[in-house]
Amino acid sequence: QTAESIAKKREEHLAKLQQRLSKRRDILNRLDRAETLTCNLLKIAAKTTDALQDLNGSPDLSELSVTYRSTLQELHPLLTKDTEELIKPYQNHTMETKQSMYAARVEMRLAKERLEVLKTFTRLEKEDRPPNDESISLKEDKHNRKRQRVEKSENSGSI
C-alpha cells in the first residue's frame, strides 16, 4: 500500500511536471514566433521609410499598411493569450514611481544648484585675480613648499 501510494504520487508529480513543460514549450514557441514577427515589423518599417522617401508616391504603401496591420494582429495574441499567470503586476508601483520621480527631481535640482555655485565660484575667483599676474605656478609653489620644509628642518636642528 505504501509503495502504491508513493508510485501514485510520483506519477501525479511527473504528470504535473510534463504539463508545466508542455506549457513552457508552447510559450517558448509563441515567443519565437513573436520574435520572427517583430523582425518582420522592422523590415516593414524599413520598406515604409524607403517608400516614403520616394517622391512618386509608391503604391507599395497600401500593401505595406495591410501587411503591418496583419502582422500586429498575429503578434498581439501570441504575447497576451494564456500569459496571465506569468505576468506579475507590481503592487506598489505607483508609490515607488512617485518616490523615485521625486528623488530624481531633487537630485537634478541639487546638481543644477551645485553647477551654478561652481560657476559663480569660478567667476569670482577669476575676478579676484589680477589680469596679467597669474597666481604662483604649480612648480613655483612646489619649490616654495620644499624650501620651507628645508628651512623648518634646519631651524629645528639648530635649537
PDB file of all heavy atoms in Angstrom, residues 119-143:
ATOM      1  N   LYS A 119      30.055  77.558 -10.950  1.00  0.00           N
ATOM      2  CA  LYS A 119      30.252  78.602 -11.958  1.00  0.00           C
ATOM      3  C   LYS A 119      30.483  79.948 -11.292  1.00  0.00           C
ATOM      4  O   LYS A 119      31.365  80.719 -11.680  1.00  0.00           O
ATOM      5  CB  LYS A 119      29.035  78.693 -12.878  1.00  0.00           C
ATOM      6  CG  LYS A 119      28.970  77.607 -13.917  1.00  0.00           C
ATOM      7  CD  LYS A 119      27.745  77.785 -14.794  1.00  0.00           C
ATOM      8  CE  LYS A 119      27.642  76.739 -15.866  1.00  0.00           C
ATOM      9  NZ  LYS A 119      26.418  76.894 -16.676  1.00  0.00           N
ATOM     10  N   THR A 120      29.686  80.253 -10.276  1.00  0.00           N
ATOM     11  CA  THR A 120      29.827  81.517  -9.554  1.00  0.00           C
ATOM     12  C   THR A 120      31.182  81.586  -8.867  1.00  0.00           C
ATOM     13  O   THR A 120      31.869  82.611  -8.923  1.00  0.00           O
ATOM     14  CB  THR A 120      28.696  81.671  -8.512  1.00  0.00           C
ATOM     15  OG1 THR A 120      27.447  81.556  -9.168  1.00  0.00           O
ATOM     16  CG2 THR A 120      28.788  82.994  -7.789  1.00  0.00           C
ATOM     17  N   PHE A 121      31.572  80.504  -8.213  1.00  0.00           N
ATOM     18  CA  PHE A 121      32.873  80.463  -7.537  1.00  0.00           C
ATOM     19  C   PHE A 121      34.011  80.675  -8.527  1.00  0.00           C
ATOM     20  O   PHE A 121      34.935  81.452  -8.272  1.00  0.00           O
ATOM     21  CB  PHE A 121      33.026  79.117  -6.814  1.00  0.00           C
ATOM     22  CG  PHE A 121      34.310  78.985  -6.056  1.00  0.00           C
ATOM     23  CD1 PHE A 121      34.517  79.683  -4.879  1.00  0.00           C
ATOM     24  CD2 PHE A 121      35.316  78.165  -6.522  1.00  0.00           C
ATOM     25  CE1 PHE A 121      35.700  79.569  -4.180  1.00  0.00           C
ATOM     26  CE2 PHE A 121      36.502  78.042  -5.836  1.00  0.00           C
ATOM     27  CZ  PHE A 121      36.703  78.742  -4.659  1.00  0.00           C
ATOM     28  N   THR A 122      33.946  80.029  -9.668  1.00  0.00           N
ATOM     29  CA  THR A 122      34.979  80.184 -10.694  1.00  0.00           C
ATOM     30  C   THR A 122      35.027  81.619 -11.205  1.00  0.00           C
ATOM     31  O   THR A 122      36.096  82.203 -11.382  1.00  0.00           O
ATOM     32  CB  THR A 122      34.708  79.210 -11.863  1.00  0.00           C
ATOM     33  OG1 THR A 122      34.617  77.888 -11.361  1.00  0.00           O
ATOM     34  CG2 THR A 122      35.802  79.278 -12.898  1.00  0.00           C
ATOM     35  N   ARG A 123      33.854  82.207 -11.431  1.00  0.00           N
ATOM     36  CA  ARG A 123      33.798  83.585 -11.913  1.00  0.00           C
ATOM     37  C   ARG A 123      34.393  84.538 -10.882  1.00  0.00           C
ATOM     38  O   ARG A 123      35.194  85.416 -11.213  1.00  0.00           O
ATOM     39  CB  ARG A 123      32.348  83.977 -12.210  1.00  0.00           C
ATOM     40  CG  ARG A 123      32.197  85.386 -12.774  1.00  0.00           C
ATOM     41  CD  ARG A 123      30.748  85.744 -13.051  1.00  0.00           C
ATOM     42  NE  ARG A 123      29.815  85.477 -11.967  1.00  0.00           N
ATOM     43  CZ  ARG A 123      29.635  86.273 -10.900  1.00  0.00           C
ATOM     44  NH1 ARG A 123      30.334  87.379 -10.772  1.00  0.00           N
ATOM     45  NH2 ARG A 123      28.757  85.968  -9.983  1.00  0.00           N
ATOM     46  N   LEU A 124      34.037  84.361  -9.601  1.00  0.00           N
ATOM     47  CA  LEU A 124      34.575  85.227  -8.550  1.00  0.00           C
ATOM     48  C   LEU A 124      36.082  85.053  -8.404  1.00  0.00           C
ATOM     49  O   LEU A 124      36.806  86.030  -8.177  1.00  0.00           O
ATOM     50  CB  LEU A 124      33.880  84.929  -7.220  1.00  0.00           C
ATOM     51  CG  LEU A 124      32.421  85.351  -7.126  1.00  0.00           C
ATOM     52  CD1 LEU A 124      31.807  84.847  -5.832  1.00  0.00           C
ATOM     53  CD2 LEU A 124      32.295  86.864  -7.225  1.00  0.00           C
ATOM     54  N   GLU A 125      36.550  83.837  -8.544  1.00  0.00           N
ATOM     55  CA  GLU A 125      37.977  83.576  -8.446  1.00  0.00           C
ATOM     56  C   GLU A 125      38.727  84.276  -9.575  1.00  0.00           C
ATOM     57  O   GLU A 125      39.791  84.857  -9.368  1.00  0.00           O
ATOM     58  CB  GLU A 125      38.219  82.071  -8.498  1.00  0.00           C
ATOM     59  CG  GLU A 125      39.587  81.652  -8.013  1.00  0.00           C
ATOM     60  CD  GLU A 125      39.697  80.151  -7.951  1.00  0.00           C
ATOM     61  OE1 GLU A 125      39.841  79.540  -9.030  1.00  0.00           O
ATOM     62  OE2 GLU A 125      39.646  79.603  -6.844  1.00  0.00           O
ATOM     63  N   LYS A 126      38.147  84.242 -10.777  1.00  0.00           N
ATOM     64  CA  LYS A 126      38.777  84.920 -11.910  1.00  0.00           C
ATOM     65  C   LYS A 126      38.770  86.426 -11.731  1.00  0.00           C
ATOM     66  O   LYS A 126      39.704  87.112 -12.130  1.00  0.00           O
ATOM     67  CB  LYS A 126      38.076  84.541 -13.210  1.00  0.00           C
ATOM     68  CG  LYS A 126      38.403  83.147 -13.677  1.00  0.00           C
ATOM     69  CD  LYS A 126      37.688  82.818 -14.963  1.00  0.00           C
ATOM     70  CE  LYS A 126      38.014  81.412 -15.426  1.00  0.00           C
ATOM     71  NZ  LYS A 126      37.284  81.050 -16.637  1.00  0.00           N
ATOM     72  N   GLU A 127      37.694  86.976 -11.139  1.00  0.00           N
ATOM     73  CA  GLU A 127      37.606  88.414 -10.917  1.00  0.00           C
ATOM     74  C   GLU A 127      38.619  88.869  -9.883  1.00  0.00           C
ATOM     75  O   GLU A 127      39.127  89.980  -9.955  1.00  0.00           O
ATOM     76  CB  GLU A 127      36.197  88.796 -10.457  1.00  0.00           C
ATOM     77  CG  GLU A 127      35.164  88.711 -11.543  1.00  0.00           C
ATOM     78  CD  GLU A 127      33.759  88.976 -11.018  1.00  0.00           C
ATOM     79  OE1 GLU A 127      33.576  89.236  -9.811  1.00  0.00           O
ATOM     80  OE2 GLU A 127      32.823  88.911 -11.832  1.00  0.00           O
ATOM     81  N   ASP A 128      38.937  88.036  -8.879  1.00  0.00           N
ATOM     82  CA  ASP A 128      39.882  88.401  -7.823  1.00  0.00           C
ATOM     83  C   ASP A 128      41.326  88.425  -8.317  1.00  0.00           C
ATOM     84  O   ASP A 128      42.158  89.136  -7.775  1.00  0.00           O
ATOM     85  CB  ASP A 128      39.776  87.433  -6.640  1.00  0.00           C
ATOM     86  CG  ASP A 128      38.520  87.683  -5.825  1.00  0.00           C
ATOM     87  OD1 ASP A 128      37.894  88.740  -6.023  1.00  0.00           O
ATOM     88  OD2 ASP A 128      38.157  86.823  -4.995  1.00  0.00           O
ATOM     89  N   ARG A 129      41.631  87.658  -9.354  1.00  0.00           N
ATOM     90  CA  ARG A 129      42.994  87.602  -9.895  1.00  0.00           C
ATOM     91  C   ARG A 129      43.292  88.849 -10.716  1.00  0.00           C
ATOM     92  O   ARG A 129      42.454  89.296 -11.476  1.00  0.00           O
ATOM     93  CB  ARG A 129      43.117  86.406 -10.832  1.00  0.00           C
ATOM     94  CG  ARG A 129      43.669  85.206 -10.175  1.00  0.00           C
ATOM     95  CD  ARG A 129      44.040  84.190 -11.209  1.00  0.00           C
ATOM     96  NE  ARG A 129      43.467  82.927 -10.809  1.00  0.00           N
ATOM     97  CZ  ARG A 129      43.145  81.958 -11.613  1.00  0.00           C
ATOM     98  NH1 ARG A 129      43.310  82.094 -12.899  1.00  0.00           N
ATOM     99  NH2 ARG A 129      42.660  80.852 -11.159  1.00  0.00           N
ATOM    100  N   PRO A 130      44.511  89.374 -10.582  1.00  0.00           N
ATOM    101  CA  PRO A 130      44.891  90.462 -11.489  1.00  0.00           C
ATOM    102  C   PRO A 130      44.962  89.909 -12.918  1.00  0.00           C
ATOM    103  O   PRO A 130      45.330  88.753 -13.115  1.00  0.00           O
ATOM    104  CB  PRO A 130      46.286  90.876 -11.004  1.00  0.00           C
ATOM    105  CG  PRO A 130      46.433  90.278  -9.647  1.00  0.00           C
ATOM    106  CD  PRO A 130      45.504  89.119  -9.574  1.00  0.00           C
ATOM    107  N   PRO A 131      44.614  90.706 -13.911  1.00  0.00           N
ATOM    108  CA  PRO A 131      44.517  90.194 -15.275  1.00  0.00           C
ATOM    109  C   PRO A 131      45.828  89.637 -15.839  1.00  0.00           C
ATOM    110  O   PRO A 131      45.832  88.597 -16.459  1.00  0.00           O
ATOM    111  CB  PRO A 131      44.041  91.387 -16.094  1.00  0.00           C
ATOM    112  CG  PRO A 131      44.164  92.568 -15.222  1.00  0.00           C
ATOM    113  CD  PRO A 131      44.291  92.105 -13.811  1.00  0.00           C
ATOM    114  N   ASN A 132      46.970  90.303 -15.615  1.00  0.00           N
ATOM    115  CA  ASN A 132      48.226  89.845 -16.205  1.00  0.00           C
ATOM    116  C   ASN A 132      49.046  88.996 -15.249  1.00  0.00           C
ATOM    117  O   ASN A 132      49.944  88.289 -15.657  1.00  0.00           O
ATOM    118  CB  ASN A 132      49.080  91.031 -16.662  1.00  0.00           C
ATOM    119  CG  ASN A 132      48.438  91.743 -17.831  1.00  0.00           C
ATOM    120  OD1 ASN A 132      47.720  91.128 -18.603  1.00  0.00           O
ATOM    121  ND2 ASN A 132      48.689  93.025 -17.936  1.00  0.00           N
ATOM    122  N   ASP A 133      48.801  89.147 -13.957  1.00  0.00           N
ATOM    123  CA  ASP A 133      49.594  88.435 -12.959  1.00  0.00           C
ATOM    124  C   ASP A 133      48.908  87.125 -12.611  1.00  0.00           C
ATOM    125  O   ASP A 133      47.933  87.108 -11.879  1.00  0.00           O
ATOM    126  CB  ASP A 133      49.736  89.324 -11.714  1.00  0.00           C
ATOM    127  CG  ASP A 133      50.602  88.664 -10.659  1.00  0.00           C
ATOM    128  OD1 ASP A 133      51.517  87.914 -11.032  1.00  0.00           O
ATOM    129  OD2 ASP A 133      50.326  88.897  -9.458  1.00  0.00           O
ATOM    130  N   GLU A 134      49.420  86.063 -13.131  1.00  0.00           N
ATOM    131  CA  GLU A 134      48.860  84.751 -12.816  1.00  0.00           C
ATOM    132  C   GLU A 134      49.332  84.354 -11.428  1.00  0.00           C
ATOM    133  O   GLU A 134      50.376  84.793 -10.957  1.00  0.00           O
ATOM    134  CB  GLU A 134      49.319  83.704 -13.843  1.00  0.00           C
ATOM    135  CG  GLU A 134      48.659  83.846 -15.192  1.00  0.00           C
ATOM    136  CD  GLU A 134      47.167  83.614 -15.129  1.00  0.00           C
ATOM    137  OE1 GLU A 134      46.727  82.708 -14.425  1.00  0.00           O
ATOM    138  OE2 GLU A 134      46.424  84.367 -15.780  1.00  0.00           O
ATOM    139  N   SER A 135      48.565  83.514 -10.769  1.00  0.00           N
ATOM    140  CA  SER A 135      48.966  83.022  -9.451  1.00  0.00           C
ATOM    141  C   SER A 135      50.248  82.225  -9.579  1.00  0.00           C
ATOM    142  O   SER A 135      50.679  81.879 -10.684  1.00  0.00           O
ATOM    143  CB  SER A 135      47.869  82.127  -8.874  1.00  0.00           C
ATOM    144  OG  SER A 135      46.701  82.856  -8.711  1.00  0.00           O
ATOM    145  N   ILE A 136      50.819  81.935  -8.463  1.00  0.00           N
ATOM    146  CA  ILE A 136      52.074  81.176  -8.464  1.00  0.00           C
ATOM    147  C   ILE A 136      51.842  79.862  -9.194  1.00  0.00           C
ATOM    148  O   ILE A 136      50.871  79.168  -8.946  1.00  0.00           O
ATOM    149  CB  ILE A 136      52.531  80.906  -7.016  1.00  0.00           C
ATOM    150  CG1 ILE A 136      52.764  82.210  -6.279  1.00  0.00           C
ATOM    151  CG2 ILE A 136      53.777  80.046  -6.984  1.00  0.00           C
ATOM    152  CD1 ILE A 136      53.053  82.029  -4.814  1.00  0.00           C
ATOM    153  N   SER A 137      52.714  79.559 -10.094  1.00  0.00           N
ATOM    154  CA  SER A 137      52.557  78.319 -10.842  1.00  0.00           C
ATOM    155  C   SER A 137      52.767  77.136  -9.910  1.00  0.00           C
ATOM    156  O   SER A 137      53.319  77.266  -8.819  1.00  0.00           O
ATOM    157  CB  SER A 137      53.542  78.264 -12.005  1.00  0.00           C
ATOM    158  OG  SER A 137      54.846  78.088 -11.493  1.00  0.00           O
ATOM    159  N   LEU A 138      52.340  75.991 -10.353  1.00  0.00           N
ATOM    160  CA  LEU A 138      52.467  74.790  -9.541  1.00  0.00           C
ATOM    161  C   LEU A 138      53.926  74.470  -9.233  1.00  0.00           C
ATOM    162  O   LEU A 138      54.260  74.063  -8.126  1.00  0.00           O
ATOM    163  CB  LEU A 138      51.810  73.597 -10.248  1.00  0.00           C
ATOM    164  CG  LEU A 138      50.295  73.641 -10.353  1.00  0.00           C
ATOM    165  CD1 LEU A 138      49.793  72.457 -11.162  1.00  0.00           C
ATOM    166  CD2 LEU A 138      49.663  73.643  -8.979  1.00  0.00           C
ATOM    167  N   LYS A 139      54.801  74.702 -10.193  1.00  0.00           N
ATOM    168  CA  LYS A 139      56.217  74.421 -10.000  1.00  0.00           C
ATOM    169  C   LYS A 139      56.804  75.322  -8.919  1.00  0.00           C
ATOM    170  O   LYS A 139      57.514  74.879  -8.027  1.00  0.00           O
ATOM    171  CB  LYS A 139      56.959  74.640 -11.321  1.00  0.00           C
ATOM    172  CG  LYS A 139      57.838  73.521 -11.718  1.00  0.00           C
ATOM    173  CD  LYS A 139      58.489  73.829 -13.049  1.00  0.00           C
ATOM    174  CE  LYS A 139      59.149  72.574 -13.575  1.00  0.00           C
ATOM    175  NZ  LYS A 139      59.783  72.790 -14.844  1.00  0.00           N
ATOM    176  N   GLU A 140      56.466  76.621  -9.005  1.00  0.00           N
ATOM    177  CA  GLU A 140      56.983  77.564  -8.017  1.00  0.00           C
ATOM    178  C   GLU A 140      56.423  77.252  -6.630  1.00  0.00           C
ATOM    179  O   GLU A 140      57.139  77.314  -5.649  1.00  0.00           O
ATOM    180  CB  GLU A 140      56.616  78.993  -8.413  1.00  0.00           C
ATOM    181  CG  GLU A 140      57.352  79.497  -9.630  1.00  0.00           C
ATOM    182  CD  GLU A 140      56.836  80.856 -10.071  1.00  0.00           C
ATOM    183  OE1 GLU A 140      55.621  81.097  -9.942  1.00  0.00           O
ATOM    184  OE2 GLU A 140      57.650  81.667 -10.543  1.00  0.00           O
ATOM    185  N   ASP A 141      55.165  76.899  -6.598  1.00  0.00           N
ATOM    186  CA  ASP A 141      54.523  76.561  -5.332  1.00  0.00           C
ATOM    187  C   ASP A 141      55.192  75.342  -4.700  1.00  0.00           C
ATOM    188  O   ASP A 141      55.476  75.318  -3.512  1.00  0.00           O
ATOM    189  CB  ASP A 141      53.031  76.304  -5.561  1.00  0.00           C
ATOM    190  CG  ASP A 141      52.269  76.193  -4.269  1.00  0.00           C
ATOM    191  OD1 ASP A 141      52.629  76.900  -3.310  1.00  0.00           O
ATOM    192  OD2 ASP A 141      51.306  75.391  -4.225  1.00  0.00           O
ATOM    193  N   LYS A 142      55.474  74.337  -5.524  1.00  0.00           N
ATOM    194  CA  LYS A 142      56.128  73.122  -5.045  1.00  0.00           C
ATOM    195  C   LYS A 142      57.531  73.458  -4.528  1.00  0.00           C
ATOM    196  O   LYS A 142      57.950  72.986  -3.475  1.00  0.00           O
ATOM    197  CB  LYS A 142      56.194  72.099  -6.186  1.00  0.00           C
ATOM    198  CG  LYS A 142      56.697  70.759  -5.792  1.00  0.00           C
ATOM    199  CD  LYS A 142      56.638  69.808  -6.982  1.00  0.00           C
ATOM    200  CE  LYS A 142      57.176  68.450  -6.631  1.00  0.00           C
ATOM    201  NZ  LYS A 142      57.158  67.552  -7.782  1.00  0.00           N
ATOM    202  N   HIS A 143      58.239  74.310  -5.269  1.00  0.00           N
ATOM    203  CA  HIS A 143      59.590  74.727  -4.873  1.00  0.00           C
ATOM    204  C   HIS A 143      59.552  75.472  -3.538  1.00  0.00           C
ATOM    205  O   HIS A 143      60.397  75.249  -2.665  1.00  0.00           O
ATOM    206  CB  HIS A 143      60.208  75.598  -5.976  1.00  0.00           C
ATOM    207  CG  HIS A 143      61.567  76.112  -5.647  1.00  0.00           C
ATOM    208  ND1 HIS A 143      62.658  75.284  -5.579  1.00  0.00           N
ATOM    209  CD2 HIS A 143      61.992  77.368  -5.345  1.00  0.00           C
ATOM    210  CE1 HIS A 143      63.714  76.006  -5.251  1.00  0.00           C
ATOM    211  NE2 HIS A 143      63.336  77.268  -5.110  1.00  0.00           N
TER     212      HIS A 143
END
